[in-house]
Amino acid sequence: MAGNWDDLKVRMISGAAMAAVGIVAIIAGGVWFQMLTVFVTAVMVWECWIMIRGASPTSGMLMAAAVASILSAQVFGGTQSYEFIALFLAVPVLGAAVLPRERVTFFIFALGIQLAGYGLVHFRIEFGFTWLLWLVSIVVVTDIAGYFAGKALGGPKFWPAISPKKTWSGTIGGWAGAAVVGFIFTLFTNAGVSIILLSVVISFAGQMGDIAESALKRRQGVKDSSALIPGHGGLFDRFDALLGASLFMLAVAVGFNVPGVAF
C-alpha cells in the first residue's frame, strides 16, 4: 500500500516550488506574469515537438524560440486581426510542414497551447488577480483532490484505453474539490452560486486537457513529455489541465454571458 504514495514527497516539493513561482507571477501581473506565460508556452510547444519528432535539440529549440517571439509580440504589442491570425498560425503550420508524421496532431496542439497562453495573459489583464487565482485554484485543487481520492479509493478506471491510472473516484473527487473552490469564491466576490457549477465544468475541461495529453503520450509511446520537473515529468505534464481549463474559460469569457457569474 505504501508504494502507492512513494512519489508523494518529490511531487510535493516540485509542486510547491512551481506553485510559489506561479503565485508570485500571478500577484505581480504585468510583465512578470506575461514572461512566465510566454516561457511555459514555448516549453510546452517544444515538448510537444520532441514527443512527435524525437530528440532533435536544434529544431526543437528553434521552434520554442519562434513561439516565444511570436507570443511576446502578441501579448506585448498591438497587432491587427489579420496579423494576429497569421502569427498564431506560423509555428503550427511550419511545424506541420516539416514533420514527417502526426502533422495534424502537432498543428492542433501547438495552436491550442499558444491560444491558452494568450488567453491566460489577457484573462489576467481584463478580469484581474482574483479571477485568475480562481481559475488556477480550480486546476490545482482538482489535481490534488483527484490524486488523493484516486489513491485512497481506487475503483473503476475513467478511461483505461488512454489514461490507465485515472479512476472515476479521482475524477469525481476533482469535481468536488472544484465545487468547494467555487463556493469559497462566492463568499468574497460578487459572483452568484452559478460559479460553483461553472467551477465543476472548468474542472472537467481541465481533466479533458490532461486526457488529451495522455492520449498524445500513448500515441507517441512516451511516459512523460520531458524530464524537466522531478516527480512531474515536463511542463506539458503539469500544465495540460490548465491548457484545457484556460481554453474553455477563454471561450466562455468571449462568447457567453453566464447567469449569476460576474467577473
Side-chain angles (χ1 to χ4, degrees):
M1 190 69 172
N4 288 339
W5 306 90
D6 56 8
D7 63 339
L8 182 58
K9 182 177 179 180
V10 175
R11 286 175 63 92
M12 288 183 66
I13 293 173
S14 299
M18 288 187 293
V21 173
I23 290 171
V24 169
I26 291 172
I27 293 173
V31 67
W32 301 105
F33 181 69
Q34 293 172 17
M35 288 192 302
L36 178 64
T37 304
V38 167
F39 169 76
V40 171
T41 301
V43 172
M44 288 173 67
V45 172
W46 168 72
E47 290 176 336
C48 180
W49 173 267
I50 62 173
M51 278 193 286
I52 296 174
R53 177 70 173 78
S56 180
T58 301
S59 60
M61 293 307 294
L62 286 173
M63 192 67 62
V67 171
S69 300
I70 290 170
L71 193 60
S72 295
Q74 298 283 30
V75 300
F76 289 110
T79 55
Q80 302 297 320
S81 58
Y82 65 89
E83 295 173 338
F84 179 93
I85 295 172
L87 286 172
F88 263 91
L89 290 176
V91 169
V93 169
L94 178 61
V98 172
L99 284 171
R101 61 187 183 87
E102 301 284 9
R103 294 176 175 178
V104 175
T105 300
F106 178 81
F107 178 88
I108 292 172
F109 274 94
L111 182 60
I113 291 168
Q114 289 182 102
L115 287 173
Y118 177 85
L120 282 173
V121 169
H122 283 271
F123 196 78
R124 173 66 175 88
I125 294 171
E126 295 175 18
F127 298 106
F129 163 75
T130 299
W131 290 110
L132 181 59
L133 179 64
W134 164 73
L135 180 64
V136 173
S137 296
I138 290 172
V139 175
V140 172
V141 172
T142 295
D143 183 58
I144 294 173
Y147 177 82
F148 280 101
K151 289 286 188 180
L153 301 176
K157 303 300 182 181
F158 176 72
W159 201 334
I162 294 178
S163 186
K165 292 185 178 181
K166 295 191 186 307
T167 60
W168 271 105
S169 61
T171 301
I172 296 172
W175 298 345
V180 171
V181 170
F183 172 74
I184 291 172
F185 273 75
T186 66
L187 301 178
F188 63 91
T189 69
N190 58 350
V193 294
S194 295
I195 198 71
I196 298 174
L197 177 59
L198 182 58
S199 298
V200 175
V201 176
I202 289 175
S203 171
F204 179 68
Q207 291 170 335
M208 289 301 97
D210 186 33
I211 288 290
E213 199 240 354
S214 294
L216 174 62
K217 289 191 294 186
R218 287 184 70 83
R219 189 179 179 95
Q220 306 310 317
V222 298
K223 181 178 181 295
D224 297 313
S225 60
S226 73
L228 290 176
I229 310 168
H232 292 273
L235 288 182
F236 202 175
D237 298 315
R238 261 320 66 217
F239 292 100
D240 50 5
L242 185 58
L243 170 65
S246 60
L247 284 174
F248 177 81
M249 195 61 235
L250 179 62
V252 170
V254 170
F256 297 93
N257 179 23
V258 183
V261 178
F263 294 123

